[in-house]
Each structure stands twice: as C-alpha cells, then as structure tokens.
C-alpha cells in the first residue's frame, strides 16, 4: 500500500512538473503575440520568472528524493532556453573593451524628482552622469520645464544638448540627449500618444552619421491603488474574491497599455527599416519586460545589447514588487556592443540606468 502511494505521489508530482514546463514554455514564447490581437495573453510574459522558480524547485526536489526524474525539469529548461537567455543572459565571459569605444547611458530620471529620497534630485543625477563620463547620455523624463538651469549644467560637460517635450501640461514628459558629438538634426517618430514619444537624433561621429533613437513607450498606467493591491496579493494579505477582482483589474489595465504600446513600437520599427543605411543605436524606457512583444519586435530589427553581452537579471525598475528589466539598449549590425549592464548603485530615480559601450564597425 505504501509503495503504491509513493508511486502515485511521484506520478502526480511528475505530472505537475510537466504541466509547469508546458505553461512555462508557452509563456516564454508569448512575446510573439501582438497585444493588438491578443491584449491579455501578451501580458503573461511577466509571470515567466515565477514558472522558472517553480521548475527550479522541482529540480531540487528530484535531486533530493528521486534523482532519476531530474530529466523532467532539465528538459523544461532546455525547451525554454531562448526566453531564459533573453530574460537572464548567461554570458559568463567578460568582454575585453577595445580602444576608441563610445560609452552610452540610457536613464529614466523620473523628472529629476529624486525618487522621494533626495531633495536635490537633479544634482544627484548630474553628479552621477558626470562621474560616468559617457559620450552619449539618453534621458527619459528629461523634464526641464520647472528648472531651466538643467541645460546650463549639462553644457559644462556636453557641448551638444537637446530635449523634446511632449506637449501635455498635466503630465509633462520629454526625452533628451546630451552628447560630445555634434547633433546634425532630429526627427520625432510620429505615433499616437498623450505624453510619450520616440525621437531620432543624427550625430556626427568622426566620418560617420550615427542614428540614435531615444524612446519612452506607453506606460503601464498602474495607479497607486492598483499597485498597492498588487503588493497585497503578492504578500498573501488579500482574500480570495477581492484578490481575483484586483487581479482582473490589474490584467485589464496592463493589456490596455500593451495595446496602446504595440502601434508605437511598430512605428519605430518602420523608421528603423527606412534608415538602415546608418549605424543605429536605440534605447529607452520600454515600460515592458524582456518577455514582451515590445522587446521581441525591436529585436527583429536590431540586436539586444543586454542579451548579447549582459549577465543576470539586470533589473532596471527598482520599485518593490515589480522586478523587471524595462529599460533596454539595442544596436544595428554596424555597431558592436560591449559590456551592457544595469547600474544599481544610483537610486535617484525609480529606474536604474542601463549602460553599454560600442564600436562603430560591426558584424556586417
């Protein structure tokens, strides 16, 4: 009887492990689904790390109690190898940085508000950027409307500075560039959004024209009430019916935001296709995780620098309960990326900056 019970238990756990793997694999490749056609399903990529952890727990369990069954979770990791290396790159070798690289920082500075930790938020960000001494700084929420002296400070280090504000008096937003390279011209990439946008700057880098596209795609529109409810759900502090209602509200809000974001991403991809003659650097706040249509669609056109050269999770959004990398850097084949990483040492924003170095002249 006991032997039969043990056999039944093993079979049930093996079945649960297989179901976990099937769901994990489907979610891992859900970034192929356009939010325009599948708004709800396209949001499930956020849950990918949870299923990774469950499969890891199964692996540890089988190792301790039924070693010959470890092939099940290992097969699951193999099936999800591609999304795993996107979500958590496994680049173990440290790249040697060649001479004459261009250092780039992309940073959502939260309007220089200091993340409610610093009264002098702009000064903290400025000092950090000056210490990093990058050649190109792309900033999201580069809102210089309430303290016009920001440019005066940037001009002490960068000869060329430009910010484009998206006209919305209620929620001001803008993206900017601060660089050592001359700005030839700029173009705003047209798409519909209340207070988000994408801007292309053409920089003169030696004899080359470098196209830099800075993006702030549609936000998640999660207000304080939804965020608070979400954190209660994670902590198990919310009862069943209420938790289901709040989870549905969260999913509806995320899917609506993803549906708005999809055509914005498509507009940027069309712009990339029309300007492939230039070396292209694209960065910004995608407001989307690595297993998302936003990231997948851009990766069809350009190379994901963090996936190619980074290591680990690289969490760039630092608010509790939302452990995601939503800030990204991409480049065309005319650029070679090196040592892309997220710097968690600076906490003057609700984002961490993402940093990468490049050499013009790539793999083509």
């Amino acid at each position: 009887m006991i032997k039969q019970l043990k056999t039944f238990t093993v079979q049930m756990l093996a079945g649960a492990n297989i179901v976990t793997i099937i769901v994990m694999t489907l979610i891992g490749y859900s970034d192929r689904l356009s939010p325009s056609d599948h708004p709800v399903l396209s949001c499930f990529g956020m849950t990918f790390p949870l299923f990774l952890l469950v499969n890891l727990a199964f692996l540890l369990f089988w190792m301790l109690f039924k070693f010959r069954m470890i092939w099940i979770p290992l097969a699951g990791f193999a099936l999800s190898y591609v999304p795993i290396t996107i979500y958590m790159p496994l680049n173990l070798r440290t790249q040697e940085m060649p001479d004459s690289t261009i250092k780039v920082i992309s940073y959502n500075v939260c309007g220089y508000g200091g993340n409610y930790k610093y009264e002098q938020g702009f000064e903290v960000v400025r000092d950090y950027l000056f210490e990093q001494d990058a050649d190109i700084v792309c900033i999201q929420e580069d809102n210089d409307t309430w303290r016009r002296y920001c440019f005066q400070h940037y001009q002490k280090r960068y000869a060329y500075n430009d910010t484009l504000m998206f006209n919305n008096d209620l929620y001001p937003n803008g993206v900017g560039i601060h660089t050592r390279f001359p700005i030839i011209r700029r173009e705003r990439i047209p798409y519909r959004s209340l207070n988000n946008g994408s801007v292309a700057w053409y920089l003169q880098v030696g004899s080359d024209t470098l196209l830099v596209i800075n993006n702030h795609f549609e936000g998640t529109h999660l207000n304080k009430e939804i965020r608070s409810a979400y954190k209660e759900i994670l902590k198990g502090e919310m009862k069943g019916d209420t938790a289901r209602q709040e989870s549905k509200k969260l999913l509806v809000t995320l899917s609506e935001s993803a549906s708005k974001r999809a055509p914005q991403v498509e507009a940027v991809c069309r712009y990339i296709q029309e300007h492939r003659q230039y070396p292209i650097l694209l960065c910004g706040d995608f407001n989307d995780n690595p297993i998302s249509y936003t990231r997948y669609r851009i990766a069809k056109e350009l190379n994901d620098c963090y996936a190619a050269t980074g290591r680990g999770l690289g969490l760039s959004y630092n608010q509790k309960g939302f452990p995601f990398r939503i800030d990204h850097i991409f480049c065309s084949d005319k650029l070679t990326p090196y040592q892309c990483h997220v710097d968690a040492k600076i906490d003057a924003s609700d984002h961490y900056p993402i940093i990468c170095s490049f050499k013009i002249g790539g793999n083509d």
Side-chain angles (χ1 to χ4, degrees):
M1 181 67 179
I2 295 178
K3 184 177 180 181
Q4 291 176 334
L5 182 60
K6 287 182 177 180
T7 301
F8 177 75
T9 301
V10 168
Q11 290 175 344
M12 289 292 292
L13 289 172
N17 196 173
I18 291 171
V19 170
T20 297
I21 290 169
I22 293 172
V23 176
M24 179 179 70
T25 304
L26 291 174
I27 289 175
Y29 293 96
S30 66
D31 55 2
R32 275 72 171 167
L33 300 176
S34 171
S36 298
D37 301 321
H38 307 280
V40 175
L41 292 177
S42 67
C43 297
F44 276 56
M46 296 176 61
T47 66
F48 183 70
L50 298 178
F51 287 92
L52 279 179
L53 290 175
V54 173
N55 196 49
L56 178 62
F58 272 115
L59 176 63
L60 296 176
F61 175 83
W62 295 128
M63 290 177 66
L64 292 173
F65 298 104
K66 203 75 171 177
F67 188 80
R68 65 185 179 86
M69 303 296 285
I70 67 168
W71 68 268
I72 300 177
L74 290 178
F77 287 130
L79 288 171
S80 296
Y81 176 78
V82 172
I84 289 172
T85 55
I86 292 171
Y87 203 96
M88 184 179 60
L90 306 174
N91 300 301
L92 300 180
R93 291 181 57 188
T94 301
Q95 294 173 292
E96 292 186 9
M97 192 86 71
D99 296 331
S100 303
T101 55
I102 300 169
K103 185 176 181 180
V104 177
I105 295 179
S106 177
Y107 191 11
N108 183 323
V109 297
C110 196
Y112 301 113
N115 201 17
Y116 307 106
K117 297 180 180 180
Y118 302 97
E119 291 184 5
Q120 302 297 321
F122 170 75
E123 285 75 10
V124 175
V125 171
R126 175 204 63 194
D127 293 346
Y128 168 79
L129 293 175
F130 283 8
E131 178 185 344
Q132 289 296 312
D133 197 30
D135 300 291
I136 301 172
V137 178
C138 290
I139 293 182
Q140 302 85 45
E141 299 190 30
D142 194 11
N143 304 345
D144 197 17
T145 56
W146 54 283
R147 53 195 314 174
R148 292 304 309 173
Y149 68 85
C150 291
F151 267 29
Q152 299 175 15
H153 284 262
Y154 281 128
Q155 287 169 351
K156 296 176 182 178
R157 182 63 60 92
Y158 296 106
Y160 307 95
N161 303 272
D162 189 34
T163 294
L164 180 62
M165 297 299 299
F166 310 130
N167 297 323
N168 186 329
D169 295 333
L170 185 60
Y171 301 106
N173 188 17
V175 296
I177 192 168
H178 308 281
T179 177
R180 295 191 172 97
F181 303 117
I183 299 174
I184 302 171
R185 71 179 190 275
R186 78 170 182 205
E187 293 179 355
R188 182 173 179 178
I189 300 175
Y191 57 71
R192 179 179 296 181
S193 180
L194 184 62
N195 65 325
N196 302 280
S198 300
V199 180
W201 278 277
Y202 293 78
L203 308 184
Q204 188 67 50
V205 182
S207 59
D208 295 292
T209 299
L210 175 64
L211 171 54
V212 180
I213 303 174
N214 190 0
N215 305 273
H216 192 285
F217 290 129
E218 193 74 26
T220 56
H221 301 294
L222 298 178
N223 58 34
K224 290 183 179 180
E225 179 185 347
I226 297 177
R227 289 173 183 266
S228 177
Y230 169 69
K231 291 177 182 179
E232 287 184 35
I233 293 172
L234 290 181
K235 294 177 182 178
E237 298 174 351
M238 189 174 289
K239 294 183 179 180
D241 291 340
T242 305
R244 281 191 291 272
Q245 292 175 2
E246 292 298 330
S247 297
K248 183 178 179 180
K249 187 187 298 184
L250 172 67
L251 189 57
V252 168
T253 302
L254 291 174
S255 61
E256 290 176 349
S257 300
S259 297
K260 294 178 181 178
R261 198 178 301 121
Q264 299 172 4
V265 175
E266 293 296 345
V268 172
C269 288
R270 286 194 297 272
Y271 191 89
I272 293 170
Q273 293 166 1
E274 294 166 358
H275 298 83
R276 287 195 178 279
Q277 67 270 33
Y278 300 103
I280 300 174
L281 170 67
L282 181 146
C283 64
D285 177 5
F286 284 20
N287 275 307
D288 228 336
N289 72 93
I291 309 299
S292 65
Y293 183 78
T294 305
R295 182 262 165 206
Y296 170 77
R297 189 65 188 86
I298 296 293
K300 294 281 286 184
E301 308 295 337
L302 301 172
N303 302 315
D304 185 336
C305 300
Y306 190 86
T309 69
R311 185 184 305 168
L313 293 172
L315 307 178
S316 69
Y317 190 65
N318 58 41
Q319 300 303 289
K320 291 181 179 179
F322 297 89
F324 302 111
R325 184 172 75 253
I326 65 175
D327 300 87
H328 304 267
I329 297 181
F330 287 76
C331 70
S332 66
D333 289 340
K334 297 179 185 295
L335 294 169
T336 303
Y338 296 91
Q339 299 180 11
C340 190
H341 64 283
V342 172
D343 188 356
K345 295 192 297 291
I346 174 71
D347 60 352
S349 170
D350 54 355
H351 293 244
Y352 294 130
I354 184 168
I355 305 171
C356 193
S357 295
F358 299 89
K359 192 171 182 64
I360 296 181
N363 304 317
D364 56 347

